[in-house]
Amino acid sequence: MRLSDERDDNGMGAPVVYTIVGVSAFIFLILAVVLLSNTNWGGQGSAGNRNIQPSPSPTPEETAEFAPGSEDLETLYREHRLRSEDLDFWDMYKEEENQLIEAVPTASPTPEPTHEPTEEELASDGKHVQVTYRDGSKEWVEISKDIPLYSYDFTNLKITNGKMAYYQDGEKSSWLGVDLSKNNGDVDFEALKNSGVDFVMLRLGSRGYETGLVTLDENFVSNITKAQSAGLEVGVYFYSQAVNEEEAVEEAEFVISNLVPYKISYPVAFDMEYISNDESRIDSLDEENKTQVAQAFLSRIEREGYRTILYGNKDWLLGALMPDKLLKEYDVWLNDQASIPDYPYQFKMWKYSAPQKIDGVGSTASYTISFVDYTRK
């Protein structure tokens, strides 16, 4: 007889049986799913020869939903449609970058044709002056900005009986002179003084243009003595034919030694010129050589304490010499018979007249006007 609370150790309860049956069915289901999955991955033939086949290419319908270059990378990866070029996203900037870097060629400006100025333009532009050389050729040369220009107002000039005077603010501010040599013969310096002449420029000496000999002007001693006795101021000039600096210094020493007995108030002038219709010693010298000769003479005279001045016409000063090396350092005695000189640079004395009859002079002579009172220097 069993008691009601005793276990039956020989049998199992209904819940246990149901559980075993359920677990078994679940395991069977899993095995079936695995078997079915292996069948789908495999190809024809045995299981040991199975090969993984590539995913089929996407159909146009599948790719149409993406804009070129904007596919979703994660979707591409899952569907095995991700390619190396899909990751090369820098390519999308190449075209834009090239457009920015590429230099845009610019058209070269077309050079404007050069214009050769006419004679009339050069004559009126105020920047050029015409020079005539010894061989007759002419050239328009540019006026240097480094050399002082003259500042005279030629409307202030007055000429009476051939005698020129310059006025500023209604007062005369010029001095009248005459240059003289043995070629003028005997001179009455008293008459010259009374005619209104203030000073004379006397030729002291010269060098022969053929022989090269340095000589004293035959009338120099007489002329300077009489001129100073008449109360005229005196300057002198030397006619040079030196072919080198040594000869120029020799000429300067000659002038200095012959001025020892006298006191002069006007400058010592250096005069070098070509000989008309004949050959001379200086014909072979170029501009630099002649400039060096002039500098050697003038600098030696200045060291002795005399004032100096460079004589010449426009063509000589601008064409035979080197203006930049002389005209800034020395006063100029300009020889120009034009009513208004076309020489552009500063000049302190101006030989303005051609030879003419002058009171007290046996032959014709030329007037010179000085814009500077050298007696006060």
Side-chain angles (χ1 to χ4, degrees):
M1 178 176 181
R2 297 178 182 173
L3 294 176
S4 57
D5 56 351
E6 292 181 347
R7 289 185 58 181
D8 188 357
D9 297 331
N10 296 323
M12 293 184 288
V16 175
V17 173
Y18 294 152
T19 300
I20 293 173
V21 172
V23 169
S24 299
F26 179 73
I27 293 173
F28 178 79
L29 180 61
I30 291 175
L31 291 175
V33 170
V34 170
L35 180 62
L36 180 61
S37 174
N38 289 339
T39 302
N40 290 337
W41 275 86
Q44 294 181 356
S46 64
N49 293 328
R50 291 192 192 108
N51 293 322
I52 298 175
Q53 298 297 320
S55 299
S57 301
T59 63
E61 290 77 12
E62 292 174 323
T63 59
E65 66 186 37
F66 300 108
S70 63
E71 291 87 351
D72 185 278
L73 295 180
E74 184 178 354
T75 302
L76 290 173
Y77 180 78
R78 288 201 311 267
E79 297 182 0
H80 305 286
R81 288 188 289 124
L82 184 64
R83 296 168 296 174
S84 62
E85 53 267 29
D86 293 325
L87 297 176
D88 196 8
F89 53 83
W90 292 106
D91 290 345
M92 68 175 60
Y93 299 103
K94 286 184 179 179
E95 182 176 357
E96 180 179 356
E97 180 181 356
N98 291 337
Q99 290 176 352
L100 294 174
I101 296 176
E102 182 179 1
V104 179
T106 57
S108 300
T110 303
E112 297 183 2
T114 58
H115 168 68
E116 286 293 332
T118 64
E119 292 282 325
E120 292 75 12
E121 290 173 337
L122 290 170
S124 61
D125 67 3
K127 299 179 181 179
H128 296 82
V129 58
Q130 190 177 62
V131 175
T132 302
Y133 297 101
R134 194 185 183 205
D135 60 4
S137 62
K138 297 183 178 182
E139 180 185 8
W140 287 95
V141 297
E142 188 172 359
I143 297 173
S144 174
K145 297 180 180 179
D146 297 326
I147 304 174
L149 305 178
Y150 74 74
S151 58
Y152 306 122
D153 180 358
F154 291 108
T155 63
N156 293 334
L157 288 172
K158 294 182 180 180
I159 299 179
T160 305
N161 297 325
K163 301 179 182 69
M164 179 182 288
Y166 186 76
Y167 291 83
Q168 288 183 305
D169 299 326
E171 295 186 3
K172 182 181 174 183
S173 59
S174 64
W175 293 262
L176 186 65
V178 177
D179 63 282
L180 301 166
S181 70
K182 69 174 184 178
N183 298 323
N184 298 106
D186 292 332
V187 178
D188 184 345
F189 288 94
E190 293 286 349
L192 201 60
K193 172 70 173 177
N194 294 333
S195 69
V197 172
D198 301 301
F199 68 94
V200 290
M201 294 294 293
L202 305 177
R203 187 173 74 175
L204 184 145
S206 62
R207 184 189 289 274
Y209 69 88
E210 290 181 325
T211 64
L213 295 176
V214 176
T215 59
L216 188 69
D217 187 276
E218 295 177 6
N219 288 6
F220 173 69
V221 174
S222 173
N223 284 343
I224 191 171
T225 301
K226 292 178 180 179
Q228 290 183 332
S229 297
L232 291 166
E233 304 296 338
V234 175
V236 300
Y237 67 94
F238 186 90
Y239 178 75
S240 173
Q241 283 285 299
V243 295
N244 53 48
E245 295 180 60
E246 291 74 20
E247 288 191 351
V249 172
E250 178 189 3
E251 294 172 350
E253 296 288 358
F254 181 83
V255 171
I256 293 168
S257 63
N258 282 279
L259 283 178
V260 170
Y262 313 103
K263 182 179 180 180
I264 63 173
S265 54
Y266 269 65
V268 175
F270 177 80
D271 175 16
M272 177 182 278
E273 303 174 48
Y274 292 121
I275 301 299
S276 300
N277 304 318
D278 203 352
E279 296 180 355
S280 68
R281 302 177 81 238
I282 66 170
D283 288 350
S284 62
L285 303 183
D286 60 16
E287 291 84 352
E288 184 175 5
N289 296 145
K290 292 193 287 288
T291 298
Q292 292 171 347
V293 167
Q295 286 177 320
F297 179 95
L298 294 168
S299 62
R300 177 64 188 95
I301 295 293
E302 284 190 339
R303 286 199 300 272
E304 203 64 27
Y306 294 101
R307 291 298 303 265
T308 58
I309 197 165
L310 178 64
Y311 174 85
N313 60 22
K314 176 195 66 176
D315 296 330
W316 179 266
L317 295 171
L318 302 184
L321 302 176
M322 301 175 70
D324 289 340
K325 293 189 175 182
L326 285 174
L327 303 183
K328 291 186 291 185
E329 299 181 25
Y330 300 103
D331 290 354
V332 168
W333 179 10
L334 178 65
N335 177 14
D336 191 330
Q337 279 76 58
S339 57
I340 297 178
D342 60 351
Y343 176 80
Y345 304 120
Q346 183 64 275
F347 53 94
K348 299 299 179 63
M349 292 168 55
W350 176 20
K351 185 176 179 177
Y352 65 87
S353 75
Q356 59 185 291
K357 181 59 180 175
I358 295 178
D359 293 341
V361 181
S363 65
T364 58
S366 298
Y367 282 118
T368 288
I369 185 175
S370 176
F371 298 95
V372 175
D373 182 5
Y374 282 98
T375 64
R376 297 185 179 181
K377 287 187 170 288

